[in-house]
Each structure stands twice: as structure tokens, then as C-alpha cells.
Amino acid sequence: MAWFILVVSGVLEAVWATALSASKNFKRPIPTVVFGVALAASMTGLAFAMKSLPTGTAYAVWVGIGAVLTAVWAMVTGKERATTARVLLLLGLVGCVVGLKAVS
């Protein structure tokens, strides 16, 4: 259950990071509310997962999932360019996250 919650929390990290950018310095209300709710839920889930998973592993997985999904979303929406190097490096991050799960 901790791993499932950690993955959901990592997804929510990508949500709050994207909403933070969309809030335009907290001037747009809907993205600002999405940011706050996703941030609170993401941190709560991370804290719960860290009760039974090692801190370093949980944090690395949480950040890895959030970073990859945020970058992929930016590429899909055209806000960042999708280059071969970026895609390969993101796949490397995914491999590291899977590897941390495999050795835990």
C-alpha cells in the first residue's frame, strides 16, 4: 500500500508543479487552488509512505516520478522541446525509480 500511495503522491507532485507554473505567481485562482490541494495531498501521501519505506528511497521515487511526469507534460503540451537527449535522460530516471523499487 505504501508504494501505491507513493506513486500517487509522485503524480500529484507533477500536478502541483504544473499548476504552480499555470498560476502565474498565484494571480490565477483556479491553478492556485489546484496547486494548494495537490501540494497538500502529495506531501501527505509522501509522509504516509515514509512510515514504512526508507526516507531516501521514498523521496527519490517521489521526486523522480514528479520530475519525469512534469517534463513529459511540458513536452506533450509544447512548452518544452522533446529532444532525443531529454527523452533518453528521462527514461534513465524511470529506470532508476524502477530500480529503487526492485531493490527495496
Side-chain angles (χ1 to χ4, degrees), residues 18 20 27 38 45 73-74 94 102:
T18 303
L20 178 61
K27 292 178 181 149
W73 180 254
V94 170

Side-chain angles (χ1 to χ4, degrees), residues 6-99:
L6 183 61
V7 169
V8 171
S9 295
V11 171
L12 287 170
E13 185 196 5
V15 170
W16 70 251
T18 303
L20 178 61
S21 176
S23 76
K24 304 293 183 202
N25 291 327
F26 305 114
K27 292 178 181 149
R28 296 180 63 214
I30 292 175
T32 299
V33 170
V34 170
F35 162 75
V37 170
L39 176 66
S42 180
M43 292 291 178
T44 301
L46 175 62
F48 179 84
M50 289 171 79
K51 287 181 176 180
S52 57
L53 298 173
T55 299
T57 300
Y59 184 69
V61 169
W62 180 75
V63 169
I65 291 169
V68 168
L69 291 178
T70 302
V72 168
W73 180 254
M75 287 183 227
V76 167
T77 59
K79 296 189 187 225
E80 292 184 19
R81 279 185 5 160
T83 64
T84 302
R86 284 183 184 188
V87 171
L88 290 174
L89 290 166
L90 289 171
L91 287 172
L93 276 174
V94 170
C96 290
V97 168
V98 170

